[in-house]
Amino acid sequence: MSLFDVEPVDPRLEAGTTRVRLLVAYDGAAYRGFWPNAGVATVGGALIVALEQVLNTPITLTCAGRTDAGVHAWGQVVTLDAPADRLDLGALQASINRLCGPTIVVREATEVDPGFDARSSAVSRTYRYTVLNRPFPDPFLRFTTWHVAEPLDLRAMVLACDPLIGSHDFSSFCRRPKVFEGQDPASLTRRVVDARWAELDDDLLRFEVTANAFCHQMVRSIVGLQVDVGRGRRRAGDILGLIRAQDRTNIPAPAPPQGLCLWSVAY
C-alpha cells in the first residue's frame, strides 16, 4: 500500500484487524489540504506516516471531508484498519499526538463496527466560517478568519440564508470535478438542512451550514456571495435565482480558505 492511499475502507475486515475511528482536529495553515499528495505537506499524508510508524504496517485512511489547503478542522473523522493483536487505542492516540501535534491532534480514538466508514456512513457535515468585520485586522486571527474591513449588513446576510435550505443543484457554487471518458458527470445536488449567521464578540461573524455533503469549494463560494450581500453588491432576493442558474460565472470569488473549519460530522 502506498503512502498516498486514502480511499473508502473495505467493509470486510482482514483477519486479525480492527476498524478504528479517529476524531481529528487540525490547523490547516501549514498543509496543502487533507488529501495526500506527493511532495507537499498534507494532513492525511502526515497521519499516514505517523500511523505506519506506530503500527508498523501499511495503512489506508478514509476521511469524512477532504478539506482544501489552508482549511481547518475540529471534527474531522478518519477510519482505518489496524492490527488487533497490538492495538492499544490510548497509546495510539498519545503517539500520534506526539508525532503530529500540535498542528494535528487526535481528540478521540475508538473501535467501531467493521461496516463503519468515515465517508460513506456520514449523514451530514457541518462547516463554520468566521469573518472578522472591522476596519483593522487582528494579527492573532489572521490564520482563522477572513478580515472584511467595510461594515456588513448582517440582517441581509441572514435573509440570504433561507434560499439555501433544501435540495438544490449547487453547480453555481462548486468547482466541477473532472469527467473522464466513459464517465457520467458527478451530481452536484446537495441537501442543505441548516444555514445561519451569528454575531459573536469582538467584531466576529460566524456562518454555520449543515448538509448531507458538500462539493468542492461550495461553502467558500456561498460565503463569498453572502458577504457580497452584506456589502450591498447583491440582494438576498438574488440568491435563489443564482442557484437555479447553475452558472458559476455569476458568483464572486470564493472566500479565502483560512476562515473555514470542518466543525462536525453526524452519523
Side-chain angles (χ1 to χ4, degrees):
M1 188 64 62
S2 155
L3 163 66
F4 303 111
D5 286 333
V6 178
E7 57 188 34
V9 175
D10 191 330
R12 300 163 297 178
L13 281 176
E14 293 183 11
T17 63
T18 298
R19 184 142 303 167
V20 176
R21 172 188 182 272
L22 304 179
L23 181 63
V24 183
Y26 49 85
D27 175 354
Y31 297 98
R32 298 295 298 171
F34 186 93
W35 191 256
N37 190 4
V40 297
T42 67
V43 176
L47 282 172
I48 290 175
V49 169
L51 286 162
E52 291 186 342
Q53 179 178 332
V54 174
L55 297 172
N56 195 31
T57 189
I59 292 296
T60 300
L61 294 183
T62 298
C63 66
R66 301 180 194 175
T67 53
D68 287 337
V71 175
H72 315 292
W74 173 247
Q76 175 73 275
V77 177
V78 172
T79 44
L80 64 136
D81 292 342
D85 60 348
R86 55 180 183 272
L87 182 62
D88 180 328
L89 291 175
L92 177 66
Q93 179 181 3
S95 296
I96 299 305
N97 288 344
R98 184 173 62 253
L99 291 168
C100 295
T103 55
I104 303 172
V105 173
V106 175
R107 296 171 53 205
E108 295 176 6
T110 55
E111 183 178 340
V112 290
D113 292 336
F116 180 85
D117 179 84
R119 191 173 186 85
S120 61
S121 299
V123 296
S124 69
R125 288 94 168 154
T126 296
Y127 280 86
R128 287 182 172 180
Y129 194 101
T130 307
V131 173
L132 177 64
N133 187 212
R134 66 184 182 203
F136 52 91
D138 185 327
F140 297 104
L141 296 177
R142 70 189 188 281
F143 292 127
T144 56
T145 62
W146 177 18
H147 174 236
V148 178
E150 58 265 52
L152 297 176
D153 184 347
L154 183 60
R155 287 188 60 187
M157 294 160 67
V158 169
L159 289 174
C161 290
D162 291 344
L164 300 171
I165 306 300
S167 292
H168 305 284
D169 183 327
F170 280 94
S171 298
S172 294
F173 298 88
C174 298
R175 187 174 178 180
R176 288 189 176 275
K178 293 181 180 178
V179 179
F180 297 98
E181 187 176 352
Q183 287 184 333
D184 293 327
S187 171
L188 297 181
T189 297
R190 302 291 187 267
R191 186 179 71 257
V192 175
V193 296
D194 189 37
R196 63 184 65 197
W197 282 94
E199 186 171 15
L200 311 179
D201 294 333
D202 300 321
D203 305 309
L204 293 172
L205 305 177
R206 177 187 290 156
F207 178 66
E208 183 170 304
V209 58
T210 301
N212 66 320
F214 293 89
C215 43
H216 192 200
Q217 295 188 345
M218 176 174 161
V219 180
R220 290 169 52 203
S221 295
I222 289 173
V223 172
L225 178 59
Q226 295 263 328
V227 167
D228 258 14
V229 171
R231 286 167 162 158
R233 299 174 182 174
R234 300 288 181 94
R235 296 178 297 114
D238 297 335
I239 304 298
L240 188 57
L242 292 169
I243 293 173
R244 289 174 175 171
Q246 298 177 23
D247 183 357
R248 190 170 169 82
T249 61
N250 293 322
I251 303 298
Q258 73 273 7
L260 185 59
C261 181
L262 173 56
W263 189 251
S264 64
V265 184
Y267 294 92

